[in-house]
Amino acid sequence: MISKQEVVIHIEKLYKHYPMGKQVVPVLRGLDLTIYKNEYVALMGPSGSGKSTLMNIIGCLDTPTAGQYILNGIQVSSINDDDLATIRNKEIGFVFQQFNLLPRLSALDNVALPLVYAGISKKEREERAKEVLAKVNLADRWHHKPNELSGGQCQRVAIARALINNPAIILADEPTGNLDSKTSIEIMDIFTQINESGNTVILVTHEEDIAAKAKRIIRLRDGLVEMSEDRLQLAEHANTSMQTAVNNNQFEESNIQIESKETDNTPENEPLF
């Protein structure tokens, strides 16, 4: 039984086929997936596994050939493009590898852009944009244009833009792909903070160290979920195994000490044989 209060994404028997000439190429092959509210999930898989196609469907950028996709209680598998765009703008915040910022707009105006389409007044747009820029530590850079910002700062602007509508899901596609290691860690720390604030975060990546920041890793292969790894459960299992090993070691050492004492208590003059 699925709890509508807990489930934010429910996908069942999802298929996606692409026509290629006279042939039909299957990409998703009956995939099942459930993601819960406030989860932090990493999607991984080799080239051709279907992760990009799945991301596009989750992000309401594409529709499946068959199957169910329920987003926040809304059946979005077969709705029209206009309704799909409305749901996409309301429910999902996107963060892309290439940032996708408009070069002629300031950081503030880039972040506020989704609110323009929502018909929000300029005063409220600017107030809300400054608020989310402060959350990503760019309160003092709101007036700068993208070419005046570093790669890490541009990605922070993109994250702030994704947060502006308070979406149900933050969907990030290789968000550290164009960043150095130090900046990547800083960006991943921001995603952790976003998740801890109550947002559901779905991260698409091919880097194991980046995926390790998530609470759950979902591995795809050949258009299906191959494995779902709960990082917290794995950590608890590892801790339990480690504690068991320590306890066993202590028990063995205790037995050795007892045997040693018994040997030491043997009278010196008593023959051993």
Side-chain angles (χ1 to χ4, degrees):
M1 179 79 180
I2 299 166
S3 171
K4 292 183 179 179
Q5 285 72 35
E6 296 180 356
V7 173
V8 66
I9 287 175
H10 178 65
I11 290 173
E12 188 173 344
K13 297 289 183 287
L14 200 72
Y15 291 85
K16 182 64 180 180
H17 300 159
Y18 290 102
M20 188 170 292
K22 294 182 179 180
Q23 295 182 333
V24 175
V25 179
V27 179
L28 300 181
R29 305 166 185 255
L31 182 144
D32 296 324
L33 176 63
T34 299
I35 296 176
Y36 296 88
K37 184 178 180 181
N38 198 33
E39 269 205 287
Y40 186 174
V41 175
L43 293 179
M44 300 194 73
S47 178
S49 63
K51 66 179 184 296
S52 295
T53 300
L54 178 61
M55 184 203 70
N56 287 338
I57 292 175
I58 289 176
C60 297
L61 297 169
D62 199 357
T63 54
T65 304
Q68 282 195 341
Y69 171 28
I70 300 172
L71 171 61
N72 249 1
I74 302 170
Q75 171 65 265
V76 297
S77 307
S78 56
I79 63 176
N80 62 51
D81 290 344
D82 289 341
D83 290 340
L84 202 63
T86 300
I87 292 171
R88 179 170 61 240
N89 293 336
K90 179 183 177 184
E91 301 286 352
I92 302 169
F94 293 94
V95 181
F96 299 100
Q97 179 177 343
Q98 303 294 339
F99 317 140
N100 289 2
L101 302 178
L102 297 182
R104 295 186 180 182
L105 297 185
S106 66
L108 182 75
D109 290 335
N110 266 289
V111 171
L113 194 58
L115 299 181
V116 174
Y117 303 131
I120 306 298
S121 69
K122 182 177 180 181
K123 181 180 179 181
E124 185 178 348
R125 291 200 305 265
E126 291 184 350
E127 288 175 353
R128 287 169 61 176
K130 287 179 179 179
E131 182 180 338
V132 291
L133 281 168
K135 289 182 179 180
V136 296
N137 301 320
L138 285 179
D140 60 340
R141 307 287 286 178
W142 62 265
H143 55 288
H144 288 265
K145 294 181 179 180
N147 64 355
E148 299 169 332
L149 300 171
S150 68
Q153 289 171 334
C154 284
Q155 193 60 291
R156 291 184 186 209
V157 173
I159 293 171
R161 181 184 58 195
L163 290 170
I164 193 70
N165 272 329
N166 192 28
I169 300 166
I170 298 296
L171 186 57
D173 182 18
E174 301 284 2
T176 61
N178 286 339
L179 305 176
D180 59 57
S181 298
K182 180 177 180 295
T183 306
S184 294
I185 292 171
E186 293 172 355
I187 293 299
M188 294 311 299
D189 285 344
I190 291 176
F191 281 117
T192 299
Q193 292 167 15
I194 291 171
N195 177 245
E196 290 174 349
S197 297
N199 291 89
T200 304
V201 178
I202 302 174
L203 176 74
V204 179
T205 183
H206 67 277
E207 301 179 65
E208 290 285 349
D209 57 333
I210 296 298
K213 301 288 185 181
K215 295 177 183 176
R216 180 158 65 115
I217 298 178
I218 297 170
R219 300 183 185 275
L220 305 182
R221 185 175 294 275
D222 298 330
L224 293 168
V225 173
E226 179 184 44
M227 186 184 302
S228 179
E229 304 171 9
D230 189 311
R231 307 295 293 177
L232 297 180
Q233 289 182 358
L234 287 174
E236 289 174 2
H237 177 72
N239 290 337
T240 301
S241 299
M242 187 178 296
Q243 188 59 52
T244 301
V246 170
N247 292 341
N248 289 340
N249 188 47
Q250 290 175 345
F251 179 74
E252 290 174 2
E253 289 178 354
S254 177
N255 285 341
I256 291 172
Q257 290 173 359
I258 292 171
E259 292 173 1
S260 177
K261 287 180 181 179
E262 290 175 348
T263 302
D264 292 343
N265 289 335
T266 304
E268 290 183 6
N269 296 329
E270 184 176 326
L272 295 177
F273 302 98

